[in-house]
Structures are given as C-alpha cells and as structure tokens.
Amino acid sequence: SAVISQKPSRDICQRGTSLTIQCQVDSQVTMMFWYRQQPGQSLTLIATANQGSEATYESGFVIDKFPISRPNLTFSTLTVSNMSPEDSSIYLCSVFGTVSTDTQYFGPGTRLTVL
Amino acid sequence: GDSVTQMEGPVTLSEEAFLTINCTYTATGYPSLFWYVQYPGEGLQLLLKATKADDKGSNKGFEATYRKETTSFHLEKGSVQVSDSAVYFCALHSGGYQKVTFGIGTKLQVIP
C-alpha cells in the first residue's frame, strides 16, 4: 500500500489567483497522477507526473493552466492558475501500488472553492 | 474506448437492508475491475477488486463478481450499516498503461 498526504486540505480563493497543491507519498514511485473531481461528478485525470520529465496532460488540460512539478520520487505539486469559479473542485493525487500494480491509492484530496 | 456505467444515486436505505449497486463496463481486452469507496471528506480507497472472469472480490461484507458474459461487476452487501454511507465508484483498468476509467459514483445513504 501507499500512504499519501496532501496540502492544503481545503482552501477558498479569489478569482484570478493561483493555488499550489502539494502531494507527498511515503514510498518512491515512478508516476504520480492528478485528478479533478467536480461536484457530483466522477474523477477526471488531469495529468501524469513522471520524475525527471515533463508531465503528460490529458485532453482538455494544459500546462499553462495546471503546471506540475515532480522534483523527486516521493513528491509532486499541482498549481491551479488564474482561477475561476469553474475550477472549484476536489483535486486528488494518486499513485499505483508497487506490489498490486493495478491498484490505485489516493490522497485525501484538496477541496478548492473559487469565489 | 473504455467506459463504466453505474447506477446513479443517491440510494437511500434503512439499516440492515440489502444493497445492490449496478455496474457495467465496456473495454478492450481483459480488464481488472474495482470498487472504490469515498467516505465524506476523504479520498478514494480500494474496497474490492477482481482481476479475471468469475472472480469474486469481497471486503467488509461487500461482494462483487466479475461477469464477463454480461460485462458487469455489481456491488452487493447483505445488511448495510450507517457507517457504509459513502460514495461508491466502479472502475476498470485495462492495458499496460496505468490508466483507470471510473464510473460516475453512486452515493449511498443509510438511515437508522
């Protein structure tokens, strides 16, 4: 299994500002995943973060809006830039298990409200 | 592409009632199937999984059987408790790339 922590757990932000979300894993992993969970909806993959290379973004998500850093094998950050109320969501960090490689482990999420 | 369809909620049950949450899928190849649970204010956590046809995953009194012939993975529990109130996500993982397709989630509320 993997234990994942995220900071902050929640925040309320003003339109036009940016927020950086941190994700820390208790073990070294190659790939880390960032998801968005909009109110009442399922999870949508934003991007995959590999250590030592640029993140891979899913369709509809761009680096200028969601820059990601991956400085080492246990840590990643996701920034939500130039926020609007439509960015209000829960943002989740995730990794796959190193033993059960098809099982995902999730952080507790960051609940973002943009006014 | 891959897809997961699960019944929309919310589902409201009395304590000790029988629970079924339907999930069907479309996928290429032979996916692994999962149920994740999200308790209020928390992230998702794995509830159970099945990796091949006819496998039954079980945990905490919940069960789901991988039915290839009906492409289904319905979640069941014989007697729900108030503490089971949460959102339940059906998901599949197919192919070599570690990408998972999630259903929309079903909110379960159990009342005393």
Side-chain angles (χ1 to χ4, degrees):
Chain A
S1 67
V3 178
I4 304 173
S5 60
Q6 284 184 236
K7 291 181 183 179
S9 58
R10 60 178 63 229
D11 207 341
I12 300 174
C13 300
Q14 296 298 317
R15 181 195 299 260
T17 63
S18 298
L19 176 72
T20 296
I21 302 167
Q22 299 179 9
C23 176
Q24 180 76 51
V25 187
D26 70 341
S27 57
Q28 295 184 337
V29 292
T30 304
M31 291 190 285
M32 296 176 74
F33 301 82
W34 286 99
Y35 286 86
R36 181 174 72 183
Q37 185 182 14
Q38 293 179 301
Q41 298 190 26
S42 188
L43 281 71
T44 302
L45 182 64
I46 298 171
T48 303
N50 292 311
Q51 196 269 333
S53 63
E54 278 200 7
T56 303
Y57 289 83
E58 298 299 306
S59 176
F61 298 95
V62 295
I63 188 171
D64 289 347
K65 176 67 175 177
F66 297 101
I68 287 171
S69 78
R70 184 78 203 276
N72 59 52
L73 290 173
T74 63
F75 186 80
S76 178
T77 67
L78 170 75
T79 298
V80 187
S81 303
N82 188 25
M83 289 184 285
S84 66
E86 293 70 35
D87 295 319
S88 297
S89 291
I90 299 172
Y91 292 85
L92 294 158
C93 174
S94 173
V95 302
F96 279 85
T98 53
V99 176
S100 297
T101 57
D102 60 354
T103 300
Q104 276 186 286
Y105 298 90
F106 290 85
T110 296
R111 184 178 296 271
L112 171 62
T113 302
V114 184
L115 303 177
Chain B
D2 296 346
S3 67
V4 174
T5 302
Q6 64 179 106
M7 59 188 291
E8 292 194 28
V11 174
T12 302
L13 295 174
S14 297
E15 205 164 23
E16 299 183 2
F18 184 87
L19 168 71
T20 299
I21 300 178
N22 290 337
C23 172
T24 57
Y25 67 90
T26 303
T28 54
Y30 303 94
S32 295
L33 301 175
F34 303 82
W35 279 100
Y36 286 87
V37 59
Q38 185 178 34
Y39 297 105
E42 299 183 14
L44 279 72
Q45 55 186 273
L46 179 67
L47 178 61
L48 54 84
K49 70 176 184 180
T51 57
K52 61 183 188 296
D54 300 324
D55 269 2
K56 177 186 285 188
S58 61
N59 186 24
K60 300 182 181 180
F62 290 89
E63 293 183 340
T65 301
Y66 190 141
R67 302 286 188 199
K68 190 169 183 294
E69 65 275 13
T70 55
T71 61
S72 65
F73 193 55
H74 304 321
L75 182 68
E76 296 182 336
K77 186 174 185 181
S79 176
V80 293
Q81 305 300 313
V82 172
S83 57
D84 294 326
S85 298
V87 181
Y88 293 82
F89 291 90
C90 185
L92 71 83
H93 173 216
S94 65
Y97 181 55
Q98 290 177 316
K99 191 168 179 178
V100 179
T101 302
F102 289 88
I104 196 169
T106 302
K107 184 175 182 178
L108 170 66
Q109 183 176 13
V110 181
I111 54 178

